[in-house]
Amino acid sequence: MRKLFIGLAALALMTSCGSQPVASTTPTPQSSPSSSAAASPTPSAAPSPTIPAGFAFQDFSGGSVSGNDVVSVTIGQHPGYDRIVIQFASDIPSYSATRQSNSTFTRSPKGDQVTLQGSAGVLIVVHSVTNWTSYGGPTSFDAGYPYMKEVQMVENFEGYQQWALGVQGEPALRVMTLTNPSRLVVDVAVAG
């Protein structure tokens, strides 16, 4: 009985003093602040793709419905982008420049497919080419440029001329028309 009385007395003393039984814990290591201590990394958002000013991840179209002849097609490399230029005898006919996620194109009117160098592509369509049989320039270019890897004519039939561009990376375009002489200029860059 005496042990019971001492136990109750000890419990009453602990309750009146506001102390509670303490659970055993493992000490937490603490570090002293130091100028060489590295902060914990904070997750950051993935970097957004950067392209040169004036370029966009979109398709383009324009020109007029009047027909015209293609005089020449040339390609070139510039700092930050590659270029294809289609020159016309007078006005610029209707055109479109359409991006695609692969470098496989359908030749017309045959219907067979061709895969160009690169991981993506751009298809440039020009119509109405008045004298479509008059074009005698090159029909393919093994460019090997940083962005535009290969260029090939995939249609020259009944007023339509199509140029396929094999591009390395997701193509961003800048499209413009120039006069004296009339030219359709398509610049290609990729996100870097």
Side-chain angles (χ1 to χ4, degrees):
M1 175 96 148
R2 185 171 180 195
K3 287 183 183 179
L4 180 60
F5 177 72
I6 294 175
L8 287 175
L11 183 60
L13 182 61
M14 284 176 34
T15 305
S16 66
C17 292
S19 61
Q20 299 177 10
V22 178
S24 171
T25 61
T26 307
T28 305
Q30 296 184 1
S31 61
S32 60
S34 137
S35 60
S36 64
S40 62
T42 305
S44 62
S48 61
T50 57
I51 53 175
F55 284 77
F57 292 108
Q58 68 180 46
D59 301 332
F60 291 86
S61 62
S64 66
V65 293
S66 64
N68 202 342
D69 293 343
V70 174
V71 174
S72 69
V73 177
T74 57
I75 63 170
Q77 178 183 2
H78 300 272
Y81 64 93
D82 299 327
R83 172 175 282 180
I84 180 170
V85 179
I86 303 173
Q87 182 177 328
F88 302 95
S90 58
D91 296 334
I92 296 173
S94 296
Y95 66 85
S96 64
T98 307
R99 302 170 319 117
Q100 62 183 50
S101 62
N102 60 59
S103 62
T104 300
F105 300 88
T106 301
R107 292 187 225 205
S108 181
K110 293 180 180 180
D112 62 327
Q113 293 192 324
V114 60
T115 300
L116 303 183
Q117 298 172 42
S119 59
V122 176
L123 182 64
I124 301 169
V125 179
V126 178
H127 68 89
S128 181
V129 178
T130 307
N131 188 6
W132 55 276
T133 59
S134 70
Y135 178 74
T139 58
S140 66
F141 301 88
D142 188 11
Y145 297 155
Y147 314 113
M148 193 166 51
K149 297 299 184 182
E150 186 177 3
V151 176
Q152 191 172 119
M153 179 193 286
V154 292
E155 179 179 17
N156 190 26
F157 186 69
E158 293 186 350
Y160 282 82
Q161 194 171 94
Q162 295 188 46
W163 289 89
L165 284 58
V167 177
Q168 188 60 46
E170 181 184 1
L173 303 178
R174 177 175 62 187
V175 177
M176 62 189 114
T177 59
L178 304 173
T179 57
N180 296 324
S182 296
R183 289 157 288 166
L184 170 62
V185 177
V186 178
D187 293 335
V188 179
V190 298

